[in-house]
Structures are given as C-alpha cells and as structure tokens.
C-alpha cells in the first residue's frame, strides 16, 4: 500500500518564512517610493490651498458728515447684527464712546 504524505517545508526558528528576491525587493521599494510620492503630492496640493492670512492694510472708511457708528456698521456689514458690528468697530478703533467726527478714519473688520 502506498500513501501520499505531504510534508510542510521546515522553517527554522530564527529565519523569516518569506524571502524576497532582488527583483521582489526592487518592486517593494518602487511601490513604497510611488506611495510616498503620491502622499507628498496630496499634502502639497492641500497645503497650497490653505487660507493665507490677509495681506496689506486693513480696510478703512472716512466718516462723512451725519454718519454714526450705526450707519457705518449697517453700510459696511449689512449681514451682521447691528450691535455686534458697532461693538467691533469700537473695539478695532479704540473708541470709548459712540461719537465719531467727519473726517475721522475708521478701521473696518476684515471679511471672514
């Protein structure tokens, strides 16, 4: 009687079960280089689209006769709450009260 017995290859305890040939190492290295290049390209394009801080002088306005802080806030920031816009104008310009004079130059908040 003949029996077919399949014997698993022996693996020595200190030896890894997989050995890469020179070509296999080159393929793995090429794959890692390609993966690193792709990751760099994605990070570079994402970083280049990041919002840059505004440059140049802040926007300003010259107070005209009859203008009040409320009028200026309504004219320059119509989408904002009036009280919040007036408070922002006062804070940016270091005003303690609500009085402005014709010819005063007021710094306006930057668009967010």
């Amino acid at each position: 009687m003949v029996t077919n017995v399949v014997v698993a290859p022996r693996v020595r305890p200190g030896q890894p079960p997989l050995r890469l040939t020179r070509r296999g190492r080159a393929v793995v290295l090429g794959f890692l280089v390609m993966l690193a290049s792709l990751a760099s390209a994605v990070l570079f394009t994402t970083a280049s689209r990041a919002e840059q801080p505004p440059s140049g002088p802040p926007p300003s306005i010259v107070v005209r006769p009859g203008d009040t802080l409320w009028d200026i806030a309504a004219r320059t920031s119509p989408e904002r709450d009036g009280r919040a816009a007036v408070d922002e104008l006062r804070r940016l310009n270091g005003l303690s009260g609500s009085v402005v004079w014709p010819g005063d130059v007021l710094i306006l908040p930057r668009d967010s």
Side-chain angles (χ1 to χ4, degrees), residues 17-92:
L18 175 66
R19 297 183 113 185
L20 287 177
T21 61
R22 191 175 292 182
R23 185 188 315 177
R25 286 188 209 119
V27 168
V28 169
L29 181 63
F31 176 73
L32 292 176
V33 167
M34 188 173 62
L35 187 63
S37 299
L38 179 64
S40 297
V42 168
L43 290 175
F44 177 74
T45 56
T46 304
S48 66
R49 283 187 268 145
E51 186 174 329
Q52 297 176 355
S55 61
S60 61
I61 190 170
V62 177
V63 178
R64 299 184 298 208
D67 275 348
T68 63
L69 280 179
W70 190 269
D71 295 335
I72 295 169
R75 191 167 60 235
T76 59
S77 302
E79 70 284 347
R80 291 185 66 191
D81 175 48
R83 280 179 248 143
V86 168
D87 289 341
E88 180 76 6
L89 281 172
R90 289 178 63 203
R91 184 187 65 77
L92 283 173

